[in-house]
Amino acid sequence: MSIVLGYDESPGARRALGLALDLAARLDEPLVLVYGAAPPGVVGEEAGSHTQALAEIGQAALAHAVADAEEAGVRTVLELVDEKPVNALLHAAEKHDARVIVVGTYGETPLRGAILGSVPHKLLHLSDRPVLCVPAER
């Protein structure tokens, strides 16, 4: 089993990282750090450069999270995948038999999340595993 965390260095994700590290340490399970690097709605020649840029951002974000995990003594697995965040998290949860998927939130209203398609909102409706939504500090 494992704990899966969607991580992008946003304020909500940074707070979620702390909670996920604590949970993984208490349960003595690996923390699977996931970054979905598929660009939203980009097609054609630009898609390759957008994907590469997102992958570079994801690599940097995951490296920072790994450093925090090593400091906390938590084992990590990295999943930097060419999928949109929701699919990346759902596939990682299945692949690593996740107890829970942890994600940060941005403090969006439910209506705004439903219209814009927030990752936490979609996960709550699509995941067959528990989803823990962690708000950013206010």
Side-chain angles (χ1 to χ4, degrees):
M1 298 199 89
S2 68
I3 307 299
V4 166
L5 171 68
Y7 193 72
D8 63 2
E9 291 198 303
S10 65
R14 284 193 296 270
R15 189 163 181 222
L17 174 61
L19 192 141
L21 286 170
D22 183 56
L23 188 57
R26 289 174 187 264
L27 297 173
D28 191 30
E29 293 187 352
L31 177 61
V32 180
L33 298 162
V34 180
Y35 186 93
V42 178
V43 294
E45 292 179 24
E46 294 178 348
S49 59
H50 284 231
T51 299
Q52 179 61 32
L54 283 172
E56 290 171 8
I57 292 167
Q59 288 171 344
L62 294 179
H64 296 148
V66 167
D68 287 354
E70 286 175 351
E71 188 176 311
V74 172
R75 296 168 290 152
T76 58
V77 176
L78 301 182
E79 290 280 344
L80 176 62
V81 294
D82 188 20
E83 292 183 275
K84 291 185 178 177
V86 171
N87 289 336
L89 288 163
L90 291 172
H91 290 144
E94 181 70 26
K95 178 179 175 182
H96 298 282
D97 192 23
R99 282 184 188 260
V100 63
I101 302 171
V102 182
V103 290
T105 66
Y106 298 94
E108 297 169 339
T109 65
L111 179 59
R112 180 177 166 94
I115 292 170
L116 296 178
S118 78
V119 170
H121 181 81
K122 286 182 181 177
L123 284 172
L124 288 169
H125 293 282
L126 297 175
S127 178
D128 62 353
R129 297 164 194 276
V131 176
L132 178 56
C133 299
V134 181
E137 297 277 350
R138 296 222 183 254

